[in-house]
Amino acid sequence: MHLVYPAVLAALLFCAGLYGVLARRNVILILMSVELMLNAVNLNLVAFDVWLRDKLHSGQALTLFTIAIAAAEIGIGLAIVLAVHRNRGTTDIDKLRDTAESPAPDDPEEPHHPEGPDDPDGPEEPHDPHDPDGPDGPEDREEKAEAAA
């Protein structure tokens, strides 16, 4: 058996997996692409093991370890994807980029704006943007124009 055939096939599988990792937006498709890349590595390990006629079959032993690691990776990866989908409602990578938590109300760097029962002025009433006597009514516009002049 020529070594070229499995090596070229493994290279094509690895390139297809790499394209899938870089171009896809869905987390499950990215995990499938990673599995494709690992299978390309497994194919190379077995092909070189056969080509070198190794008595210990170390390429096949490493392939078994790689399969076990891939199985654990896909199990943990799918558990994380399911947890994220339950919390966020999507598995789209672009929508998941904002993973930072909002600052706590006691955070000294972020100013706290009380609105609710502890606020002495009470919650602000929503205003109608089409209301002429609202916060940007004619009187407020005149005052803003005079202040700008």
Side-chain angles (χ1 to χ4, degrees):
M1 175 176 82
H2 293 288
L3 183 62
V4 175
Y5 299 127
V8 168
L9 179 62
L12 290 174
L13 283 174
F14 193 85
C15 289
L18 185 65
Y19 173 76
V21 168
L22 296 177
R24 299 292 177 185
R25 300 283 185 238
N26 192 343
V27 177
I28 294 175
L29 292 177
I30 291 174
L31 285 174
M32 289 174 59
S33 298
V34 169
E35 290 295 318
L36 194 62
M37 292 168 62
L38 286 173
N39 285 331
V41 170
N42 288 340
L43 181 61
N44 266 335
L45 285 171
V46 171
F48 276 98
D49 182 54
V50 169
W51 184 65
L52 293 173
R53 292 181 172 85
D54 187 13
K55 299 291 183 196
L56 296 176
H57 299 291
S58 57
Q60 293 177 15
L62 285 174
T63 299
L64 288 176
F65 284 120
T66 307
I67 290 171
I69 290 172
E73 174 256 336
I74 200 70
I76 292 172
L78 284 177
I80 291 171
V81 167
L82 286 174
V84 167
H85 183 69
R86 284 182 187 160
N87 289 337
R88 302 274 178 118
T90 185
T91 58
D92 190 11
I93 291 291
D94 290 333
K95 294 178 183 173
L96 296 176
R97 290 185 190 240
D98 184 27
T99 58
E101 295 182 16
S102 60
D106 297 335
D107 192 3
E109 296 176 6
E110 191 70 27
H112 181 63
H113 302 288
E115 292 179 3
D118 296 337
D119 190 8
D121 297 331
E124 292 185 17
E125 304 251 345
H127 67 283
D128 184 15
H130 302 292
D131 184 18
D133 297 328
D136 290 331
E139 297 85 17
D140 291 336
R141 289 188 199 129
E142 291 173 4
E143 290 176 7
K144 287 180 184 177
E146 290 175 6

